[in-house]
Amino acid sequence: MSPVLEVEGLLRELAPQVLAALVRRHGQFDACEDAVQEALLAAATQWPAEGVPDNPRAWLVTVGSRRLADLWRSESARRRREEAVFAAELEDVEVPARDDTLTLLFLCCHPALTPASQVALTVRAVGGLTTAQVARAFLVPEATMAQRISRAKQKIKAAGAKFSMPPEGERDERLRAVLHVLYLIFNEGYTATAGDQLLRGELTGEAIRLTRAVRELLPEDGEVAGLLALMLLTESRRAARSRPDGSLVPLEEQDRSLWNAAAIAEGVKLVSDALSTTRLGPYQLQAAIAAVHAEAPTAAETDWAEIAALYALLGQMAPNPMVTLNHAVAVAMVRGPEAGLAMLAGLEGDDRVSAHHRVAAVRAHLLEMAGDAAAARESYLAAARLTLSMPEQRYLLAKAANLA
Amino acid sequence: MKYLLMIYMNDETWAGLSERERDAVMAGHDEFQRLTRESGELLDTHALGSPSTTAVVRVRDGDPVVTDGPFLETKEYLAGYYLMDCESRERAVELAAMIPDSRYNATEVWPVMFSAGVDV
């Protein structure tokens, strides 16, 4: 690995720990965040040339703290006395405790923020991506992302959030929010919701890296393991999911020899262990479904009965129209397209999904299976009109054209 | 998520406004731009010229055929647009309601599917 890449990887791993250390000691999330960004910048320019210091974390905490001190010095002379104490404290720089990263994640996923802001702040503060990188990943100008992040920080401040773990009773619920944000980051990268690119590797890679970090902190949590397994199993298909021209390849047509066997093995082991040792949860079930797909040697040999059973369980545990939709596909594979279409009919009146392109796309697929080419074509066209992703639209239009 | 807010204009409606109402619309745009620039939601905005300055181009059998005037002959025409980055369709609709022209005419809200350019 080149020294620059090596330093970049190291910095991204250390960024949340350094930020957590500064926030714990000095408070003021936004000032600390600016200071950490500057310390990272200094390291990124100095380390590749001069070598990585013996204790890189301590180096970053020291530089970040100095930058904070500069900030406060220029802010007001009144603080001068405090600053003397502060400077003395720098002598014994403490390496931050590992669970500070989790506290930082809890702070970034604060309930006062909208999911979009939680995602932006998490990727930037915990992921250590620069604002420019986050902006590029979400296809918005840097100024726009900078504003989004700074609004999020102000909201946290206004909500009076403290840098500490939420009380025991709230912890479980807050962890679900953290996992949900990580899942959103992954999904945004996996199926870009809009734009001309189907995959955004920066985001899926970041989501997996962060989820791995959470798993190191909470190795006993079955849902953390389940989410990591789900991401690994989904990501394992990346190379087979799109053609060189960017168009989409559906699961049943994918070249399975392109699937990443190491990621599949890791994902399958993670979810199997979690299923047998921890309390069952929705991410584990989704990972188990992904594992059934991953372990089928060919699309035709997929164990659809097993998948249908897992979706039925998921539907009971975490009812949601998207689960019903996927359940309908599995049921159609086991009991025929009519059974699947009957389940879809139940979604017609559901405002959350009735205008979603996936419902129309699945209906089209099931109608095609049932041999009703004209109705299938109509549904493919309807789905193409509703999607905001160019590769998906091209795929759906091609399916419609095949039935003309 | 990006949204295009398209402002439709009707000359009769505009002519029927008082001087003060027209000034308020203009000033309203300045304020709207200031607010949405600060919130980071404004990406781009352009005001368009009058329909009499437009042309429609069609290429038929390899030859361009150019006619003066807009594509559709209607009383309402596209007068300008705002390109926004906002968190939801609900917010885009809320922003469209803040555009002063929406009080007299109408603003269309379209989700953006694909973007390219220097910095969009």
Side-chain angles (χ1 to χ4, degrees), chain A residues 2-47:
Chain A
S2 81
V4 174
L5 278 179
E6 207 172 318
V7 165
E8 202 174 297
L10 180 63
L11 289 179
R12 282 170 66 171
E13 193 188 312
L14 293 177
Q17 298 170 32
V18 174
L19 179 57
L22 291 189
V23 178
R24 178 177 293 293
R25 184 178 297 176
H26 309 296
Q28 297 204 26
F29 182 82
D30 45 355
C32 291
E33 225 241 331
D34 289 342
V36 170
Q37 290 294 326
E38 293 198 26
L40 292 175
L41 195 66
T45 49
Q46 289 175 32
W47 294 2

Side-chain angles (χ1 to χ4, degrees), chain B residues 2-50:
Chain B
K2 277 176 267 192
Y3 286 88
L4 189 65
L5 313 187
M6 301 200 295
I7 300 164
Y8 282 84
M9 177 85 171
N10 180 317
D11 282 335
E12 275 177 39
T13 312
W14 185 248
L17 300 185
S18 69
E19 188 77 25
R20 185 189 291 181
E21 284 169 327
R22 272 183 250 170
D23 285 347
V25 169
M26 296 307 196
H29 277 282
D30 290 343
E31 177 66 5
F32 181 71
Q33 284 163 31
R34 191 185 63 74
L35 279 172
T36 53
R37 193 171 285 125
E38 276 173 15
S39 71
E41 288 169 314
L42 176 62
L43 298 181
D44 192 19
T45 179
H46 285 99
L48 303 179
S50 138

Side-chain angles (χ1 to χ4, degrees), chain A residues 124-194:
Chain A
R124 154 86 188 248
V126 190
L129 261 66
T130 64
T131 304
Q133 285 170 316
V134 182
R136 200 170 63 229
F138 287 94
L139 300 175
V140 297
E142 196 176 336
T144 302
M145 188 49 78
Q147 282 288 353
R148 196 184 276 179
I149 290 169
S150 89
R151 261 180 292 156
K153 287 191 281 194
Q154 282 162 15
K155 259 193 177 168
I156 285 192
K157 202 173 171 182
K162 288 200 182 62
F163 189 74
S164 58
M165 285 295 276
E168 197 71 53
E170 282 174 36
R171 218 167 276 187
D172 222 39
E173 198 189 321
R174 292 287 292 275
L175 178 63
R176 298 305 139 216
V178 168
L179 295 185
H180 181 63
V181 165
L182 295 173
Y183 186 58
L184 287 179
I185 295 171
F186 181 83
N187 272 340
E188 185 59 29
Y190 187 67
T191 306
T193 47

Side-chain angles (χ1 to χ4, degrees), chain A residues 114 116-117 139-144 147-148 151 194-196 387-390 393, chain B residues 1-3 37-43 85-87 111-115 119-120:
Chain A
T114 62
S117 298
L139 300 175
V140 297
E142 196 176 336
T144 302
Q147 282 288 353
R148 196 184 276 179
R151 261 180 292 156
D196 68 334
T387 181
L388 291 174
S389 154
M390 299 272 280
Q393 187 177 69
Chain B
M1 185 75 211
K2 277 176 267 192
Y3 286 88
R37 193 171 285 125
E38 276 173 15
S39 71
E41 288 169 314
L42 176 62
L43 298 181
D85 169 76
C86 51
E87 289 188 348
V112 174
M113 185 163 176
F114 171 72
S115 299
D119 187 16
V120 285

